[in-house]
Amino acid sequence: MLPTEAAAAQGVLLQDLSHVTVAELLKLHSQIGEALRARGVVRSANNPTGDLAEYLFCAAFGWKQAPNSEQGYDATGPDGTRYQIKGRRVHRRNSSRQLSAIRDLSSQHFDVLAGVIFDDDFRVVRAALIPREVVEARSKYIAHTNSHKFILRDDVWSAPDVQDVTAEIAAAMP
């Protein structure tokens, strides 16, 4: 099934954008970002993947988002658990599941890593709550960026104390 056919089957209207100018595409991109901000789905003007991940986890579990400038964690649960939230969009041009840099891992700024993989169309593929100890054991330090690299491979879901929360995160999509 073609992407436009899949969208039509879901009731989403997609247009052929081949005739639209670059300037018009960029204006549309800007308008989409503003519409997502107005709905509270994203908080920044950056790529929406990270903001969407934060929104979905907080909506699904009732976590409180930390201020944008908070060091080392993105949300707090009702019980005080601190969550670092990461999202990765895999698509036909890049299938990597490497999450964005985890800074200062040894300082224990977060208790649990909440990770989600999206597909090309931002549908939730898999999501997990991963204890910091698992992240530490499976991360690699990268001196060049002074950060740790963590890849959300399928075997992470079978690690001790990792919770599969795919259904909950998918259900939180507005």
Side-chain angles (χ1 to χ4, degrees):
M1 184 179 300
L2 296 172
T4 53
E5 293 170 338
Q10 296 175 7
V12 176
L13 175 63
L14 290 181
Q15 297 179 357
D16 174 13
L17 300 176
S18 62
H19 67 284
V20 179
T21 68
V22 170
E24 291 168 334
L25 287 171
L26 291 170
K27 183 177 180 180
L28 179 59
H29 174 76
S30 176
Q31 291 172 344
I32 290 169
E34 288 303 318
L36 289 170
R37 265 185 294 292
R39 294 178 187 199
V41 175
V42 300
R43 301 193 296 171
S44 72
N46 300 330
N47 177 324
T49 304
D51 284 354
L52 177 59
E54 289 182 22
Y55 172 85
L56 292 174
F57 276 101
C58 290
F61 298 111
W63 301 342
K64 183 178 190 291
Q65 277 187 303
N68 277 340
S69 59
E70 192 62 54
Q71 182 180 357
Y73 71 96
D74 300 304
T76 306
D79 63 355
T81 301
R82 293 165 302 157
Y83 296 92
Q84 174 72 258
I85 303 170
K86 302 281 187 186
R88 180 66 185 218
R89 181 174 165 247
V90 295
H91 51 87
R92 62 188 169 274
R93 290 179 186 85
N94 186 351
S95 61
S96 171
R97 288 180 165 208
Q98 180 178 322
L99 300 180
S100 62
I102 300 174
R103 308 250 180 239
D104 203 12
L105 183 58
S106 63
S107 293
Q108 302 181 0
H109 292 293
F110 68 92
D111 304 303
V112 175
L113 175 72
V116 59
I117 301 293
F118 298 105
D119 72 6
D120 211 6
D121 295 321
F122 287 99
R123 288 181 297 243
V124 174
V125 175
R126 290 195 88 178
L129 299 178
I130 308 158
R132 187 187 64 252
E133 296 79 13
V134 174
V135 175
E136 289 172 345
R138 291 172 174 252
S139 293
K140 179 180 178 184
Y141 179 72
I142 307 298
H144 174 71
T145 59
N146 191 28
S147 65
H148 282 80
K149 173 173 78 170
F150 183 78
I151 301 174
L152 200 49
R153 294 183 173 98
D154 282 334
D155 67 345
V156 168
W157 276 262
S158 61
D161 300 317
V162 170
Q163 291 179 261
D164 185 334
V165 292
T166 304
E168 293 90 333
I169 300 307
M173 185 67 78

